[in-house]
Amino acid sequence: MFILGLESSCDDCSAAVVEETAAGPVLRSLVRESQDTIHGPFGGVVPELAAREHLLQVRAVMAGALAQAGIGLGDLDRIAVTRGPGLVGSLLATFSASKAVAWHQGLPWVGVHHLLGHLNAARFASPNLPFPALVLLVSGGHTHLYLAKDWTSLQLLQKTRDDAAGEAFDKAARMLDLGYPGGPLVDACAQTALRAADPFTPPKFRDGKASWSFSGLKTGVKLRVERNPRLAVAGAADAEVQGLCRSLQEAITTWLLKPLPGWAEETGAQSLVISGGVACNSRLRSEAAVLATRTGLLLAIPEPRLCTDNGAMIAAAGALLSPEADPWSQNADADLKLGA
Ligand code: KG4
Ligand code: ZN
């Protein structure tokens, strides 16, 4: 079965062709148009600009994915698209395009929850993952831990009380004038550090509820920059900036992974999936491998291009869902809930 997967929930416009086989999904093509140069000057995604750019990109991205896979529209068996959550103007670009193609070609159509997509990105390398699985989804908008009993269900265990982990990376990078998006730049800068700066203090939760908090890191970096204004302009080649990036990255990864062994024991999880843009982080990947060895969890982190938003993960999830009987009455949902 050949599936065309489309994703445009934020600032990446992406299409992929995936062949679903008895052994799992096989990636036949993946095309992604980034909008980093458009949003970079603003230090974050501007929804109206993102929506307009998606409209310009969507046809070429779809055509590119088909050409790269060496197939035509007539060879497709299904089309899958992100239904939500996300920026509604952004979502609508690929959502409408997918319905137009489905109508024109008479193709089965399926709308996919964005987070089910991130989970299914792990299916390419680990199609036989043992369940239940702990699923850590970490991106610019999400820092959520779920329990999955299979590839199509997610039950929330804990989430951030404030900022997402990706936001902490992006905001810190902005204060240090490293560029946008911040995660990969902080990661690269941290890797060049000879030593870490003073560690950040982990947040304390008086109500005892399992959760994370990353907004204190933003304040922490701000205070250090106020004390030492040179940090705001010194750039990635500066040893102090590198040390600060390293301690920031150590704090984020240590805090993210800390609750996982407890949850693994409580839920009887057999495996751990980490996905979303922050799963590209070099330290998170290496620390997760250490944790997996220690706890006996089977670790599945998709290759970096499948961790960030992409059409392939949507196709892989869409392959497992039932197509809609009436695609034409469906709509994108900026606030889509899981299981809806
Ligand atoms: O999943 P994604 O592409 O889009 C959202 O749904 O948000 O994630 C984007 C986020 C950004 O915050 C970006 O800075 C972060 O992922 N990111 C990273 C790395 N690569 C991307 N964060 C830390 N280290 C990285 N190497
Ligand atoms: Zn995402």
Side-chain angles (χ1 to χ4, degrees):
M1 175 167 71
F2 282 100
I3 305 141
L4 177 65
L6 302 176
E7 149 68 37
S8 65
S9 62
C10 189
D11 62 339
D12 285 312
C13 195
S14 177
V17 173
V18 170
E19 185 180 0
E20 184 66 28
T21 71
V26 179
L27 187 61
R28 294 292 178 210
S29 68
L30 175 56
V31 174
R32 174 169 29 214
E33 280 293 334
S34 149
Q35 301 178 0
D36 289 350
T37 52
I38 292 172
H39 304 293
F42 301 95
V45 178
V46 183
E48 184 59 31
L49 294 181
R52 288 183 202 194
E53 197 59 21
H54 283 308
L55 286 176
L56 299 174
Q57 292 170 333
V58 63
R59 284 181 62 183
V61 162
M62 271 197 291
L66 290 170
Q68 215 182 75
I71 64 168
L73 280 176
D75 299 311
L76 291 174
D77 299 294
R78 184 178 289 195
I79 186 161
V81 67
T82 307
R83 187 199 292 271
L87 302 169
V88 74
S90 289
L91 286 165
L92 281 171
T94 47
F95 200 83
S96 307
S98 72
K99 286 208 283 188
V101 172
W103 180 78
H104 185 261
Q105 296 295 126
L107 278 176
W109 176 99
V110 57
V112 176
H113 192 288
H114 183 77
L115 296 183
L116 266 194
H118 276 304
L119 166 61
N120 276 268
R123 216 156 63 78
F124 288 95
S126 312
N128 299 317
L129 191 78
F131 287 95
L134 290 179
V135 183
L136 177 61
L137 297 182
V138 269
S139 69
H142 290 93
T143 301
H144 288 49
L145 181 68
Y146 293 95
L147 185 69
K149 62 176 179 359
D150 54 37
W151 290 109
T152 61
S153 70
L154 289 170
Q155 179 200 333
L156 185 67
L157 298 178
Q158 72 169 67
K159 62 178 181 168
T160 179
R161 295 183 183 215
D162 39 55
D163 290 355
E167 252 178 295
F169 276 111
D170 293 337
K171 287 176 178 170
R174 200 170 166 186
M175 285 186 258
L176 298 171
D177 198 28
L178 295 180
Y180 170 86
L185 299 163
V186 170
D187 191 352
C189 190
Q191 285 184 56
T192 56
L194 292 178
R195 72 178 74 84
D198 290 342
F200 288 91
T201 315
K204 287 200 182 69
F205 304 119
R206 290 209 174 79
D207 60 12
K209 272 206 207 121
S211 61
W212 291 283
S213 167
F214 295 99
S215 67
L217 283 175
K218 189 175 53 192
T219 319
V221 173
K222 186 163 167 265
L223 289 175
R224 291 183 197 208
V225 171
E226 275 169 11
R227 272 203 309 267
N228 184 1
R230 208 182 57 77
L231 293 174
V233 289
D238 182 82
E240 274 188 282
V241 173
Q242 291 165 358
L244 182 54
C245 285
R246 183 154 140 192
S247 55
L248 176 77
Q249 180 161 293
E250 282 177 7
I252 296 175
T253 52
T254 308
W255 300 356
L256 278 174
L257 297 177
K258 191 154 184 269
L260 301 191
W263 278 118
E265 211 174 296
E266 192 171 328
T267 60
Q270 305 282 307
S271 56
L272 168 63
V273 175
I274 308 183
S275 188
V278 179
C280 296
N281 186 265
S282 59
R283 186 179 157 100
L284 184 60
R285 295 175 86 94
S286 60
E287 289 298 305
V290 174
L291 181 144
T293 310
R294 182 159 51 84
T295 54
L297 289 168
L298 197 141
L299 181 63
I301 311 183
E303 56 176 296
R305 67 183 175 144
L306 297 179
C307 283
T308 49
D309 291 350
N310 67 83
M313 66 185 199
I314 300 302
L320 303 183
L321 302 171
S322 305
E324 290 289 344
D326 177 19
W328 326 121
S329 66
Q330 303 296 318
N331 214 341
D333 183 349
D335 195 28
L336 185 66
K337 302 281 179 277
L338 274 160

